[in-house]
Each structure stands twice: as structure tokens, then as C-alpha cells.
Amino acid sequence: MAQKPSIPKGTRDFGQIEMARRNYIFDTIKSVFRLYGFQQIETPAMENLSTLMGKYGEEGDKLLFRIQNSGEKAALTPEKGLRYDLTVPFARYVVQHREEISFPFKRYQIQPVWRADRPQKGRYREFYQCDVDVIGSDSLLGELELIQIVEEVYCRLGIRVCLHINNRKILAGIAEVIGAPDKMIDITVAIDKLDKIGVEAVNNELKERGLSDKQVAKLQPILNLNGSTADKLAALKTILASSETGLKGVAEMEEIFDLVNSQLSTFNLELDLCLARGLNYYTGAIFEVKALDAQIGSITGGGRYDNLTGIFGLPNVSGVGISFGADRIYDVLTELNLFPAALQSTTQVLFATFGQDELKYALTWAKELRADGISVEVYPEPTKMKKQMAYADAKQIPFVAIVGSNEMETYTVMLKNMVTGEQQPMSLENLKNSKLF
Amino acid sequence: MAQKPSIPKGTRDFGQIEMARRNYIFDTIKSVFRLYGFQQIETPAMENLSTLMGKYGEEGDKLLFRIQNSGEKAALTPEKGLRYDLTVPFARYVVQHREEISFPFKRYQIQPVWRADRPQKGRYREFYQCDVDVIGSDSLLGELELIQIVEEVYCRLGIRVCLHINNRKILAGIAEVIGAPDKMIDITVAIDKLDKIGVEAVNNELKERGLSDKQVAKLQPILNLNGSTADKLAALKTILASSETGLKGVAEMEEIFDLVNSQLSTFNLELDLCLARGLNYYTGAIFEVKALDAQIGSITGGGRYDNLTGIFGLPNVSGVGISFGADRIYDVLTELNLFPAALQSTTQVLFATFGQDELKYALTWAKELRADGISVEVYPEPTKMKKQMAYADAKQIPFVAIVGSNEMETYTVMLKNMVTGEQQPMSLENLKNSKLF
């Protein structure tokens, strides 16, 4: 006998229940994207390596899956690689198709990506990304729409979330006013630990990271910021008075909060100066969404980038986008038991029969029910009733229509409710009008 | 400036209109699959090369895209390859997960596959397959359901088709009774040309392919078969009387036609002895679907296989499946102009504004309409009206709601029908109840 087959490490098969749940997540997200006029695109799994290389840092280059050239060129350096994310292919797409695109271009894209990472719990070598971006406009309406989309998606999924928002310009402003413009990331990373380790330890860490006593002293008003978002932004305006970039960041945040407050009454949106995501490409707002009732880190993130397409020769195109983490959303929904029960089976009724004539009788009924949009299976053989019932149980089919000679004579089926165990005879007319399906 | 970016040859980007059309095809097919209780699975893009090698013949092995090992093993022989079709991964899936699966296992799978073929018109290196199979039952109900699915899918898509059906056992029986059991494929290929080149040329070709005069003579009754399907099957029963396999094939076809006739009154189902698809793995029925109004070859095909999982050590599991050719269906729908016009845009109304206050006013309306499930965009800046209109035109958005100071004062929008050019003032209440969306 052949060896039991397997799949490459870090990859997964998705069975029917997992697929139904994943589709529930993607369909929910897509239906919200559509409400805002975002349209789907797809790009090839393989990109030219010249498109991918150098876009994800040195570490990223190493994690690209390279595809061996075919035929005689197999021994030569690979020319193609598997897509590492959806952002770079999107930038490539925009530049390549710029003549056909109507800007602002509102697109979403849901496709797998591949990374030769060391596989571990929750980290895979193949996983789906789900990105939504609007590109070709610097209007902060983009930020508003993405915030509204986040609110609506998680409302529909039933997950309580907090959306953390920061602005790279404010971070740059802070670094600038304390005289350490090259230390922006060090400062943000240290501030991030404030809650955990306290102000003194943060100050020590800042000094270890190369800030002078004077610079650390200058930073204290920022460490002590508190109050409402409006209070914080007002204080930042004073602190950042000498930084044009910093003030621009504060103004952007004021406008975003103003827009959001005019549209969303109760959404959890929090100015979070510790948020330091994607600082090597984001240029304005930075987003991160956390589930309130699960300890799982960020389930959605994104930001504003002013020069995504510059790498492909099309400068000065501003965009803003976010990415929903499907695997983590799946885990949160599982942990909180939020998947609708009805996802388990697509089949609403199974016909189980006692003989060949009954089987044909069942086929005719099945056809009638399917014409009404009801999802029906006919067990393909009149085998032991126990076996047919076990099939319905395993697939969690809620009703079984049993057909024997009695039922054929009376033009009925014996309908069994697989949850309660109750059964009753039903005519085709009654079954169609039963509102059971 | 950087070089204009491109994608690997044989691959494609799908823009929003192509995606809407492709989704229309896939959604139609999926909705029919669901009516019959088929459930979706997905397998990884990468499979171990040991899973793929030797399954597609020598030529197929050459066409596998191999993935370079990562890290230190890069120089060694690749261990992984991209999936070449959905059939082998499905067989691997069934064997690997056999303990979790309830048989008969009804699954569908819609994913891209990759082949290092020479790209040419209509042949790509990455393309989607759309497979539906029932495995773990030799009941001919499987064949019936697939035929019903084909009928329903093409009925919903509006494509008139003929489903050609043959049976490998009949072909084997023919080769057997004329005393040339090893010439089954040669005989079928020659018979296939009957319509085009006539009986004499076919006979010559058969002789060239190594059949004796006596064998060719014995074949004549089959070349002369005509009449109804029932007539043909009756004649075959006589001709194949000495072949157990052949008679089994005839009996299967009789049962399938009997089942189909009891369920489908008008469907074009044709017994076609020339059909010679997949003879190296199909063991019973063979299907091929052709569009009647387009010259494009087969748009769906499949058959019964008795030993698909044997290659992975699980023998004697019978299944039957078909595969819908998404690219060809796309081409037929395009050629016959059968795509619904409404697919072009997902956005139902665009708000175009004359100023910042109008923009906020529009946002409030947009929120109200979206709460009713209407897909709305707000042009993100109060730029030149001409530019906002051009955006609606390019995206084929059917209505534009124009907002100026007049409209704000009267709590209305000026609604412009982008097809007729007509415009009229509308209150929010009227707009919601207008039945325009």
C-alpha cells in the first residue's frame, strides 16, 4: 500500500464545515464592501520576481516562494515567485492598468498569499488576505469609509471591537520636536510599553535607545497625555507647535474624528499614540482593530500611504487601505461561539428509501422541492435505513423524508425531524408549504 | 522611471468587470451545486511533488510548476509543486481525510490550477477549474444528478447545450468483440471522424492503425448504427452479446437514460459512441457538454472512475464527477451577449457635491440608504461636477444624486438618471421608496 498522503507543512485543507464558515466571513465582508461601491479584482498567484523583490525588506525577500523555470531554463535563476501579499500586486496592477482605471479606484481583493515562514501555531505558509483600498484620492473620506466598513463588518459578525487609530505624521512630529527625528520608531515602541512597565522604565528604555536626558524630559508631556480624544489632540497641538508635519497630523486626526462623530454615534474609536504598525510605508493614519472579548491581537489593520505606486514608477498617488485577517476572525468567532448554526449543512432534507421504486418516487419529489429552491439530497441507494440515517446525522441534515411502500401508496413521505426525533406523514403540498425550509 | 510592470506570460489580471462576470458564472454554478447537497472544499495551491508526479503522464510531469525549496535546501531538488488539476488533490484529500468523511462524499471545488504549457489563445498557465464529484457510491444516481446539474446550470445561464454521453465499457466491448482489445482508443478516434470523412476513409484509417480486414468488417454494424438511443442500445446489445464488459456498459446506459427520461423531459442528451475523453482513467460513463450556438468545443466534461483513490492506497472507491470550464463558459456568454447588464456596476447611486457642507450632508444620506441595503458611493471631494459625472459614467453607475446649497435648503437631492439624462428633485423618503434600486 502506498504511503498515506500528506500536504506540505504550513498549508491546510479546508473541509466543508471550515469552508462554510470561511465563506460566511468572506461573504459578510464582501456584502459590506459592495455597499460602499468597492469592486473585486484578482491578480495571478505568480508574479515576476522583479515585481516582488526588494519590496518586503531583506527578510521578506528570503521568505518569497520562488518557482523553478520550466523546460530548459530550469537550472537558471528563477524568474517568478508566489505573491507574498496583496499590496504589491495591487500597486503593480494600478500602474499597469492606469489607463483603464477610473480614479479614485475602490477595489477589494480576497486571495491567498504564500510565505516561506517557519510554520507555527496560527502562522501558515498559505493564507488568505482580504484587502480593501481606495487609491487616487487624498480625501479623508477614505479613512471614514474604512472605519464605517470596520464597524459594519464586525457588527454583522457580532464581534465587539475597538478601532485604534494613530497618525504617522504625529509620531514624526513628536520625534522632531524633541530633536530626535531619526528615533521615531524607538520612541513609539517605548511608549507602547507605558501601561505595562510604567513611566520610569520607559524613560530608562528611551535612554538606552539613545535619547539624551533632555530629549526624554521633552517627551514627558506626551507620556502624561490623558483625557478625551479632543483633549489629547488639543494638547498635542501645543506640544507639536514647532513641527509642521506634526500639526498636519493633528489636523488630519481632528478631521477624521469630526467625520466619524458626524456619522457613527457609538463606535469604539480610540486615538492610540502607541500604534506603530507599518511605519516604513504608511504616511498618515494607521489603523488597528482589536476584539474586545478575545485575546488575539489585531484582527484588522491598515493605513494611509502616499506613494505605494512610486516603486513602479507612478509617484504621488495617495491611497488608504485595510486588511481583514480571515484566520484570526475565524478563531474569534469560534472562541466566542458566534458562527450561525445553520452553516453546518447546506442540505435541508435527505430522502431515505426502502427500495428501487421508492428511489424513483423520491427523485420526483426531490425535483419538485429543488424547483422551489430547497436543497435536497436523495440517498443514492436503498440500503439499510440505519446507514442512510447515519449519513443524515453526520452531515447534520435537519430533516429526513422516509419513503416505503406505504408512503408511495398514500402519496406521502414520513418526515423525520432529526433534532427532536418526531416524525409525521406529509404530502408534497404540505411539505412545500411547511415553512420548515 | 522604473520599467512598466508586467505579469508572467500565460497569467491574467481580472479587473472589476471581468470579476463580476466570473463571479456570476461561479455563483450560478454554486447555487445549483447547493440544491443537490454538494459542499465546498479547498486544498492548498502547493502539493508535495510526490503527490503530483506520475499522475498526469510523462508530458504532465514536465508541465508541473515546481517550487524551489526555501533556505539552505534551495539548491536541492524541489519537493513541492503547484496543483495541476483538482482531481489528484481531491483523491489525496479523500484518502487523507477518509476517517472524517461521510460517504458518499459530495464535494465541489473551485480553485485555480497551474500548468507550464506554452501559452496561446484561450490557453493559460493559471486558470480556474470548477469540479463537482460524488465519491464512495457506484449508484447511477450520481450520473443522473450530474446530468440534472448540467441542465440546470446552463438553463440558468441561458446557454443551449447538448450533453454527449458515452461509456468506456461499451468502447472496451466493441474492441473486444472485433478481437482488438488493445485498439480501443484507435477505434474510437477513427469512428469520431465518420461524419467528416465518411465510412470508406474511416475504414482505411482503421487498417492503417493496425486492424485487419476481418476486424474492420466486424466493425461495420457499429459504424452503421442509427435511429433513437433505444434503437442504438438494442443493436449494441446484439453486437456486444459476447462481451460481458460491453453488455454491462449497455445496461448502465439504459439505466441512465431511463433515470434521465423519468426526470428530465426535454433535455438534449445524446448517446455518442465517438466520445473518447479521459479513457485512461474513466471506467464507466463519459460526459461532454457542447454549446449549440457557439463553436467552442467542450464547455463541461467528466465521467465515472472506479479507482481514483487507488493511487494513494485506497482501492475500490467509485466516483463520478464533472468539471465546468469557466473560461470557455465566459467566452460563450460574451459571444452570445448573455451576461446580465446589471453586473457592470455594483454601485447604485453616486453622490456628487458642490462643497464641503454638501459632502457631509451627502454622507448622512449615504448612511441612510446603505442601511436599506443600497450600494452607495460619495465622491470623496467636492471637485468639478464634470469630473464627478465622468466617474459615474466610467463606473456605469445608473444614478447620480447631486447636492448643492439649494438641495440642502430643501432637504432634497437632484437625482440624475445617467441613462436618460433626466433629473428631478427627491426627498430622502421619496428616494428610499422610489423602487429605483
Side-chain angles (χ1 to χ4, degrees):
Chain A
M1 185 172 138
Q3 205 189 342
K4 195 177 172 187
S6 63
I7 49 178
K9 62 178 179 179
T11 69
R12 291 169 288 175
D13 284 325
F14 296 113
Q16 58 265 39
I17 291 175
E18 286 152 306
M19 279 306 296
R21 291 178 172 174
R22 291 170 64 83
N23 284 337
Y24 165 70
I25 295 171
F26 290 132
D27 290 345
T28 302
I29 293 174
K30 282 189 218 172
S31 65
V32 177
F33 289 169
R34 281 198 211 100
L35 276 186
Y36 287 80
F38 286 86
Q39 293 181 312
Q40 191 172 12
I41 69 161
E42 284 190 1
T43 61
M46 295 188 267
E47 293 275 355
N48 292 321
L49 271 177
S50 58
T51 299
L52 302 175
M53 294 284 286
K55 310 305 191 299
Y56 307 105
E58 227 172 277
E59 196 52 34
D61 282 352
K62 281 189 207 146
L63 300 182
L64 291 171
F65 277 112
R66 289 160 170 77
I67 294 166
Q68 206 175 68
N69 300 327
S70 40
E72 295 151 10
K73 289 157 75 188
L76 303 178
T77 311
E79 293 166 357
K80 294 182 288 288
L82 291 179
R83 139 182 93 217
Y84 179 89
D85 71 359
L86 301 180
T87 307
V88 167
F90 175 53
R92 192 266 309 146
Y93 180 95
V94 169
V95 176
Q96 191 175 330
H97 300 276
R98 60 194 181 209
E99 305 300 336
E100 311 141 38
I101 293 172
S102 324
F103 293 98
F105 181 42
K106 301 173 86 169
R107 88 85 171 81
Y108 71 89
Q109 189 168 358
I110 301 177
Q111 291 192 276
V113 301
W114 296 269
R115 297 182 185 179
D117 247 327
R118 188 183 300 274
Q120 49 180 272
K121 192 177 178 310
R123 188 189 289 172
Y124 303 101
R125 292 185 146 191
E126 173 182 66
F127 57 97
Y128 272 74
Q129 289 193 334
C130 176
D131 282 20
V132 58
D133 292 80
V134 51
I135 191 166
S137 162
D138 55 10
S139 163
L140 297 177
L141 226 66
E143 278 79 347
L144 170 68
E145 283 198 349
L146 296 182
I147 293 168
Q148 287 180 300
I149 284 172
V150 165
E151 189 211 18
E152 185 66 25
V153 163
Y154 288 110
C155 174
R156 292 186 182 198
L157 292 174
I159 300 175
R160 297 195 317 130
V161 297
C162 178
L163 198 161
H164 298 254
I165 183 168
N166 196 2
N167 193 302
R168 185 214 159 90
K169 294 190 182 82
I170 292 179
L171 297 177
I174 292 170
E176 203 183 314
V177 296
I178 70 164
D182 57 328
K183 290 274 191 288
M184 180 180 72
I185 292 174
D186 289 302
I187 295 168
T188 311
V189 169
I191 296 179
D192 188 27
K193 298 182 183 164
L194 192 58
D195 280 347
K196 276 181 222 135
I197 62 175
V199 68
E200 205 162 325
V202 166
N203 286 340
N204 286 337
E205 179 162 340
L206 287 165
K207 285 173 198 166
E208 277 164 29
R209 286 171 179 266
L211 264 68
S212 69
D213 288 355
K214 200 176 149 195
Q215 287 169 336
V216 171
K218 271 195 169 173
L219 199 64
Q220 297 313 299
I222 288 159
L223 297 185
N224 293 322
L225 271 186
N226 55 32
S228 69
T229 300
D231 292 344
K232 286 185 194 167
L233 288 173
L236 279 171
K237 234 190 267 191
T238 313
I239 297 166
L240 301 175
S242 65
S243 162
E244 197 184 329
T245 304
L247 289 178
K248 180 92 183 15
V250 174
E252 285 179 10
M253 296 308 279
E254 282 180 332
E255 191 178 336
I256 291 170
F257 274 92
D258 180 41
L259 280 168
V260 170
N261 290 332
S262 77
Q263 298 298 321
L264 297 174
S265 44
T266 60
F267 189 57
N268 277 321
L269 180 67
E270 190 179 307
L271 176 65
D272 180 354
L273 292 181
C274 310
L275 189 56
R277 178 195 176 89
L279 289 177
N280 43 348
Y281 42 93
Y282 292 137
T283 52
I286 308 169
F287 304 111
E288 202 158 271
V289 179
K290 286 180 181 161
L292 295 180
D293 304 313
Q295 298 291 326
I296 202 160
S298 167
I299 54 177
T300 293
R304 160 78 62 182
Y305 41 82
D306 279 341
N307 198 21
L308 185 66
T309 56
I311 44 174
F312 297 115
L314 183 66
N316 304 322
V317 180
S318 186
V320 58
I322 52 172
S323 183
F324 286 85
D327 287 309
R328 287 193 170 177
I329 294 172
Y330 189 102
D331 291 344
V332 172
L333 290 170
T334 304
E335 184 183 330
L336 302 179
N337 201 18
L338 289 172
F339 281 113
L343 294 178
Q344 304 288 342
S345 178
T346 54
T347 304
Q348 294 162 288
V349 57
L350 171 78
F351 282 84
T353 59
F354 280 104
Q356 286 297 342
D357 289 342
E358 286 88 341
L359 196 55
K360 281 199 186 168
Y361 175 93
L363 286 173
T364 311
W365 280 54
K367 197 184 167 195
E368 291 270 354
L369 293 174
R370 286 182 187 129
D372 279 10
I374 299 165
S375 174
V376 179
E377 286 187 64
V378 179
Y379 196 88
E381 291 149 59
T383 181
K384 284 182 191 138
M385 192 47 61
K386 198 176 154 191
K387 195 172 170 189
Q388 301 185 58
M389 288 295 175
Y391 177 81
D393 267 336
K395 275 189 92 169
Q396 304 199 14
I397 298 173
F399 294 96
V400 175
I402 303 166
V403 186
S405 51
N406 255 351
E407 284 74 27
M408 283 177 66
E409 274 164 33
T410 52
Y411 298 105
T412 57
V413 295
M414 183 62 74
L415 190 74
K416 178 167 182 172
N417 180 322
M418 295 297 283
V419 178
T420 65
E422 287 172 306
Q423 46 184 55
Q424 55 172 320
M426 283 268 208
S427 71
L428 182 57
E429 217 43 41
N430 285 346
L431 191 58
K432 279 183 162 192
N433 298 327
S434 65
K435 304 226 162 75
L436 289 172
F437 313 118
Chain B
M1 183 173 139
Q3 205 187 342
K4 195 177 172 187
S6 64
I7 50 179
K9 63 178 178 178
T11 69
R12 292 168 287 176
D13 284 326
F14 297 114
Q16 58 264 39
I17 292 175
E18 286 152 306
M19 278 307 295
R21 291 179 171 173
R22 290 170 64 83
N23 284 336
Y24 166 71
I25 295 171
F26 291 131
D27 290 345
T28 301
I29 294 173
K30 283 189 217 171
S31 65
V32 177
F33 289 169
R34 281 197 211 101
L35 275 186
Y36 288 79
F38 287 86
Q39 293 181 312
Q40 191 172 12
I41 68 160
E42 283 189 2
T43 61
M46 296 188 267
E47 294 274 356
N48 292 322
L49 271 177
S50 58
T51 298
L52 302 175
M53 292 286 284
K55 310 305 190 299
Y56 307 105
E58 227 173 278
E59 196 52 35
D61 282 352
K62 280 188 207 148
L63 299 183
L64 292 171
F65 277 112
R66 289 159 169 78
I67 294 166
Q68 205 175 71
N69 299 328
S70 38
E72 293 152 11
K73 290 157 75 188
L76 303 178
T77 311
E79 293 167 357
K80 294 181 289 289
L82 291 178
R83 145 180 89 218
Y84 179 88
D85 71 0
L86 302 180
T87 306
V88 168
F90 175 53
R92 192 267 310 146
Y93 180 97
V94 169
V95 176
Q96 191 175 332
H97 300 277
R98 61 196 181 208
E99 304 299 337
E100 311 141 37
I101 293 173
S102 325
F103 293 98
F105 182 41
K106 301 173 85 170
R107 87 86 172 79
Y108 71 88
Q109 188 169 356
I110 301 176
Q111 292 192 274
V113 301
W114 295 270
R115 297 182 185 179
D117 247 326
R118 188 183 299 276
Q120 48 180 272
K121 192 177 177 311
R123 187 190 291 173
Y124 303 101
R125 293 185 144 191
E126 174 182 65
F127 58 97
Y128 271 75
Q129 287 193 335
C130 175
D131 281 21
V132 60
D133 291 80
V134 52
I135 191 165
S137 162
D138 55 11
S139 163
L140 298 177
L141 226 67
E143 278 78 348
L144 170 68
E145 284 198 350
L146 296 182
I147 293 168
Q148 287 180 301
I149 285 172
V150 165
E151 191 211 17
E152 185 65 26
V153 163
Y154 288 110
C155 175
R156 291 186 183 198
L157 292 174
I159 300 176
R160 297 195 316 131
V161 297
C162 179
L163 197 160
H164 298 255
I165 183 167
N166 197 1
N167 192 303
R168 185 214 160 91
K169 295 190 181 84
I170 293 179
L171 298 177
I174 291 171
E176 202 183 315
V177 295
I178 70 166
D182 57 327
K183 291 275 192 289
M184 180 180 72
I185 291 175
D186 289 302
I187 295 168
T188 311
V189 169
I191 296 178
D192 188 27
K193 299 181 183 164
L194 192 58
D195 280 348
K196 276 181 222 135
I197 63 175
V199 69
E200 206 163 325
V202 166
N203 287 340
N204 286 335
E205 179 162 339
L206 287 165
K207 287 174 198 167
E208 277 163 29
R209 286 171 179 267
L211 264 67
S212 69
D213 289 356
K214 202 176 148 195
Q215 289 170 334
V216 171
K218 271 195 169 174
L219 199 62
Q220 297 313 299
I222 289 159
L223 298 185
N224 293 323
L225 273 186
N226 54 32
S228 68
T229 300
D231 292 344
K232 286 185 195 167
L233 288 173
L236 280 171
K237 235 189 268 191
T238 314
I239 297 167
L240 301 176
S242 65
S243 162
E244 198 185 328
T245 305
L247 289 179
K248 180 94 182 16
V250 174
E252 284 179 11
M253 296 308 279
E254 282 180 332
E255 191 178 337
I256 292 171
F257 273 92
D258 181 39
L259 280 168
V260 170
N261 290 333
S262 77
Q263 298 299 320
L264 297 173
S265 45
T266 59
F267 189 56
N268 277 320
L269 180 66
E270 192 178 305
L271 176 65
D272 180 354
L273 293 181
C274 310
L275 190 55
R277 178 196 176 89
L279 289 177
N280 42 348
Y281 42 94
Y282 291 137
T283 53
I286 308 169
F287 304 110
E288 201 158 271
V289 180
K290 287 181 181 160
L292 295 179
D293 304 312
Q295 298 291 326
I296 202 160
S298 167
I299 54 178
T300 294
R304 160 78 61 181
Y305 40 83
D306 279 342
N307 198 22
L308 186 66
T309 57
I311 43 174
F312 297 115
L314 183 66
N316 304 322
V317 181
S318 186
V320 57
I322 51 171
S323 183
F324 286 84
D327 287 310
R328 286 192 172 177
I329 294 172
Y330 189 101
D331 290 344
V332 171
L333 290 170
T334 305
E335 185 183 330
L336 302 178
N337 201 18
L338 288 172
F339 280 113
L343 294 178
Q344 304 289 341
S345 178
T346 53
T347 304
Q348 294 162 288
V349 57
L350 171 78
F351 282 83
T353 59
F354 280 106
Q356 286 297 343
D357 289 341
E358 286 88 341
L359 196 55
K360 282 199 185 167
Y361 174 93
L363 286 174
T364 311
W365 279 55
K367 197 185 169 196
E368 291 270 355
L369 293 174
R370 287 181 188 130
D372 279 10
I374 299 165
S375 174
V376 180
E377 286 187 63
V378 178
Y379 197 89
E381 292 149 58
T383 180
K384 281 182 194 140
M385 191 48 62
K386 200 177 153 189
K387 195 172 169 188
Q388 301 186 59
M389 288 293 175
Y391 177 80
D393 266 335
K395 275 189 93 169
Q396 302 198 16
I397 299 172
F399 294 97
V400 175
I402 303 166
V403 186
S405 51
N406 255 352
E407 284 74 27
M408 284 177 66
E409 274 164 31
T410 53
Y411 299 105
T412 57
V413 296
M414 182 61 74
L415 190 74
K416 180 167 179 171
N417 181 321
M418 295 298 282
V419 178
T420 65
E422 286 172 308
Q423 47 184 54
Q424 55 173 320
M426 284 269 209
S427 70
L428 182 57
E429 217 43 39
N430 286 346
L431 191 58
K432 279 182 162 193
N433 299 327
S434 65
K435 307 225 160 74
L436 290 171
F437 314 118

